[in-house]
């Protein structure tokens, strides 16, 4: 499965932002009072300024993980750790009470994400066994690239991207976006090109497939009779 552990950056100077984050995450992971497809255990505060949630190892879980990661990186105030692999069963009702290799790896991943080695604070951790380690590394590289693209997007670019998303269900969404923004369709197209919107949309499904592959490879290691080889337990 996929575990996201998220830690607030600069909490001593910015105050406690966990409550509004949890509210945002609830809005993204519930609909009509029910969990959206892909959510297994809801996000909640674990210790200090950290929150944690469990997502499924299917297409819905991977897609939801990519969406949430993109939102967290856009916000800029969080370090994101992704752990993949097995979890201990039966699952408790609370993600805070859950355990298993994927949770341990998410803890290691968020610590790696907090390091100074990358300008994009996300890490993906699986077991060191191959091919699991390489797939996790590939997933991390693509998610960092997507985060870097978003971080360099201008306010005008975000305005076009966000407004287009609001009109995704209508005919001629770019025309509707242009009307809302009071600019020409050509101006909207230029903003989207500069924002690398089409490239990001094309890469997100690939990130989800890589995340699923990373989880499958990690789970295969965890399910071996001799267990994980990364000293996690």
């Amino acid at each position: 499965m996929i575990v996201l552990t998220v830690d607030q950056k600069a909490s001593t100077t910015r105050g406690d932002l966990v409550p509004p984050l949890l509210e945002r995450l609830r809005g993204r992971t519930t609909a009509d009072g029910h969990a959206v497809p892909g959510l297994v255990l809801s996000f909640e505060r674990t210790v200090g300024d950290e929150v944690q949630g469990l997502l499924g190892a299917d297409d819905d879980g991977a897609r939801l993980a990519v969406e949430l990661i993109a939102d967290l990186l856009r916000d800029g105030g969080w370090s994101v750790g992704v752990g993949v692999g097995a979890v201990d069963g039966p699952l408790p009702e609370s993600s805070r009470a859950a355990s298993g290799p994927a949770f341990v790896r998410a803890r290691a991943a968020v610590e790696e994400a907090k390091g100074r080695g990358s300008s994009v604070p996300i890490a993906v951790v699986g077991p060191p066994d191959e091919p699991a380690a390489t797939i996790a590394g590939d997933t991390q590289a693509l998610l960092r690239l997507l985060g870097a693209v978003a971080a360099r997007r201008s306010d005008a670019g975000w305005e076009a991207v966000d407004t287009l998303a609001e009109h995704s269900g209508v005919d001629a969404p770019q025309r509707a976006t242009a009307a809302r923004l009071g600019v020409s369709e050509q101006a909207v197209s230029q903003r989207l090109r500069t924002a690398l919107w089409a490239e990001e949309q094309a890469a997100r499904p690939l990130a989800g497939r890589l995340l699923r592959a990373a989880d499958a490879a990690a789970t295969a290691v965890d399910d071996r009779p001799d267990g994980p080889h990364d000293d996690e337990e």
Side-chain angles (χ1 to χ4, degrees):
M1 290 190 176
I2 302 166
V3 179
L4 295 187
T5 298
V6 183
D7 186 58
Q8 183 180 337
K9 298 164 63 177
S11 58
T12 56
T13 58
R14 301 176 67 211
D16 184 7
L17 299 180
V18 168
L21 173 64
L22 288 174
E23 187 64 28
R24 282 169 46 202
L25 289 170
R26 276 191 290 269
R28 292 299 308 270
T29 58
T30 59
D32 299 323
H34 301 284
V36 300
L39 181 68
V40 178
L41 292 177
S42 298
F43 286 86
E44 59 184 333
R45 188 194 293 264
T46 51
V47 294
D49 301 310
E50 286 187 2
V51 302
Q52 181 174 270
L54 178 64
L55 308 178
D58 55 5
D59 288 338
D60 289 327
R63 181 170 54 251
L64 181 59
V66 172
E67 291 174 356
L68 295 177
I69 290 166
D71 286 350
L72 290 162
L73 293 178
R74 176 181 178 178
D75 180 273
W78 307 92
S79 298
V80 184
V82 183
V84 292
V87 299
D88 294 340
L91 285 175
E93 295 184 0
S94 165
S95 63
R96 186 169 51 243
S99 60
F103 285 92
V104 177
R105 291 168 188 148
R107 151 67 27 213
V110 79
E111 290 300 321
E112 180 180 336
K114 290 191 289 186
R116 300 180 182 275
S118 172
S119 60
V120 182
I122 181 170
V124 180
V125 172
D129 307 59
E130 293 294 353
T134 294
I135 300 173
D138 291 346
T139 308
Q140 174 178 288
L142 180 55
L143 289 171
R144 284 185 173 177
L145 179 60
L146 289 174
V149 167
R152 286 156 177 77
R153 187 168 290 162
S154 68
D155 290 342
W158 276 118
E159 184 180 46
V161 168
D162 291 340
T163 307
L164 185 69
E166 294 172 5
H167 293 87
S168 60
V170 305
D171 293 333
Q174 287 199 31
R175 184 182 307 163
T177 297
R180 169 74 67 84
L181 298 180
V183 299
S184 67
E185 287 187 61
Q186 291 81 3
V188 170
S189 295
Q190 179 58 46
R191 289 193 195 185
L192 294 174
R193 283 196 298 272
T194 303
L196 298 178
W197 173 80
E199 290 78 5
E200 179 191 5
Q201 294 304 300
R204 279 198 184 193
L206 173 58
R209 291 193 294 272
L210 278 173
L211 194 51
R212 278 206 67 188
D215 174 72
T219 302
V221 173
D222 296 337
D223 287 346
R224 292 197 312 231
D226 54 348
H229 283 189
D230 46 0
D231 297 325
E232 293 177 343
E233 296 184 311

